[in-house]
Amino acid sequence: MALFPLQFHKDQEEILSKLTGHSPIGEDIILKDRYSQEARMMSADFLKSMLKRFCDQVQIENYSETGNNVVGTILATTDTNQWIILGAHYDSVKDCPGANDNASGVALTYAVAKHIASLPNRKYNMKIVFFDEEEKGLLGSKAYAQKLVDEKLNVVSVHTVDQLAWDEDGDKGIELEMPTDDIKNHYLKVARDFGYEFPIQISDVTSTDHSSFRGLGFAATGITEEYKNGDTTPHYHRPTDTYETVNFEYLTTITEYVQKVFEDMMK
């Protein structure tokens, strides 16, 4: 595990620590996982409180008897009806602290959203969504994608984040899952503009939240560590997917990169 870098956002550390049971999420409450209804609801309430620090609106959207998405809104600084969606699932499988899968994606999503909220100019409105029940069949993202269709929201693109805390070979490589050409070209352009030389590979993985949106016609991509290329956590869905296994240096680099991608998008 890399040493915790000074520039790593304290909010991200708080998210990773509390969601994984490394520190209490409430008074004397340590999460073993984010599988049970009770644990997921505590997680949702915590994430809502975090988003309220900078979002224009935040709510927990109940889409079924068991499912709750946490949704934050950051409004554009110009008059527009166009939206960008950024999300990550916050649930885990049973008996798994879910540090890599997917507290890491939640932490990255949060930091990017907070950065966008701080910009003086934003071309698009933005929704930040923490999806529930990804591990039960992408239920939260499917419900939210359908909600976008039902509300006829004018969505430019959707970006979901899943597993970004493992980098065994130290090359800081990532994968973009099923991006449209426009999305792919934008990510590659920003990497060139800012001199990022880590590998950015394109994969055909469809087993996470981005596929819920593509199936309904949205331009979407997933952002992940080198899942298909093989440099991915060996702790997947295991009790050993803990805070201590997170490569903070890697997560910091990719967080800063994705912040630049979204900042460029908002110009």
Side-chain angles (χ1 to χ4, degrees):
M1 183 189 73
L3 294 176
F4 192 83
L6 293 176
Q7 72 270 26
F8 193 81
H9 208 291
K10 289 183 179 179
D11 289 344
Q12 288 184 291
E13 193 277 336
E14 181 180 1
I15 288 168
L16 277 157
S17 184
K18 290 184 176 181
L19 288 184
T20 61
H22 183 73
S23 64
I25 197 167
E27 187 175 353
D28 299 324
I29 299 173
I30 299 288
L31 293 182
K32 178 183 179 182
D33 55 32
R34 300 182 301 283
Y35 175 79
S36 70
Q37 181 76 19
E38 182 181 14
R40 296 195 335 270
M41 199 66 240
M42 281 190 288
S43 301
D45 287 336
F46 164 65
L47 292 171
K48 179 183 177 182
S49 72
M50 294 290 286
L51 287 177
K52 285 177 72 173
R53 296 178 181 181
F54 59 84
C55 285
D56 294 300
Q57 301 170 10
V58 186
Q59 56 191 352
I60 294 177
E61 297 182 356
N62 173 254
Y63 58 84
S64 72
E65 290 184 3
T66 59
N68 298 280
N69 290 330
V70 185
V71 183
T73 301
I74 300 172
L75 296 174
T77 57
T78 59
D79 185 17
T80 181
N81 71 344
Q82 294 183 302
W83 292 83
I84 302 291
I85 312 298
L86 174 64
H89 77 88
Y90 68 89
D91 61 313
S92 78
V93 297
K94 190 175 182 180
D95 298 326
C96 177
N100 190 306
D101 186 16
N102 185 35
S104 65
V106 171
L108 185 145
T109 296
Y110 180 90
V112 172
K114 185 171 185 179
H115 177 68
I116 294 305
S118 73
L119 298 177
N121 298 295
R122 292 183 295 275
K123 180 180 178 181
Y124 300 118
N125 301 302
M126 189 170 174
K127 292 285 189 184
I128 304 92
V129 191
F130 296 126
F131 306 115
D132 197 0
E133 298 183 309
E134 189 266 1
E135 302 290 2
K136 296 183 178 181
L138 316 184
L139 299 185
S141 56
K142 286 178 179 177
Y144 193 75
Q146 186 60 54
K147 185 174 187 287
L148 295 178
V149 172
D150 295 343
E151 295 182 351
K152 296 181 171 59
L153 215 64
N154 185 1
V155 175
V156 176
S157 60
V158 180
H159 311 251
T160 68
V161 189
D162 197 354
Q163 296 189 195
L164 266 166
W166 188 268
D167 182 36
E168 182 72 23
D169 63 12
D171 69 354
K172 296 184 170 62
I174 62 170
E175 292 176 357
L176 298 178
E177 298 166 322
M178 301 289 289
T180 63
D181 286 343
D182 285 346
I183 291 174
K184 177 185 71 175
N185 291 337
H186 182 235
Y187 275 81
L188 295 177
K189 170 191 173 295
V190 171
R192 289 193 303 269
D193 288 350
F194 288 92
Y196 287 110
E197 297 181 349
F198 50 75
I200 301 176
Q201 301 182 68
I202 309 303
S203 87
D204 58 1
V205 172
T206 59
S207 55
T208 188
D209 290 310
H210 63 88
S211 62
S212 298
F213 298 91
R214 184 175 299 97
L216 292 180
F218 295 104
T221 194
I223 310 162
T224 188
E225 62 200 25
E226 292 181 281
Y227 179 80
K228 189 165 185 182
N229 198 44
D231 190 8
T232 190
T233 178
H235 305 288
Y236 179 68
H237 286 185
R238 296 181 179 180
T240 51
D241 185 13
T242 62
Y243 176 94
E244 287 75 18
T245 68
V246 171
N247 186 323
F248 289 105
E249 183 180 354
Y250 172 58
L251 181 55
T252 297
T253 298
I254 306 306
T255 295
E256 292 172 349
Y257 164 60
V258 179
Q259 284 177 335
K260 290 179 173 65
V261 169
F262 276 76
E263 182 173 352
D264 189 73
M265 202 182 300
M266 289 291 176
K267 291 179 180 177

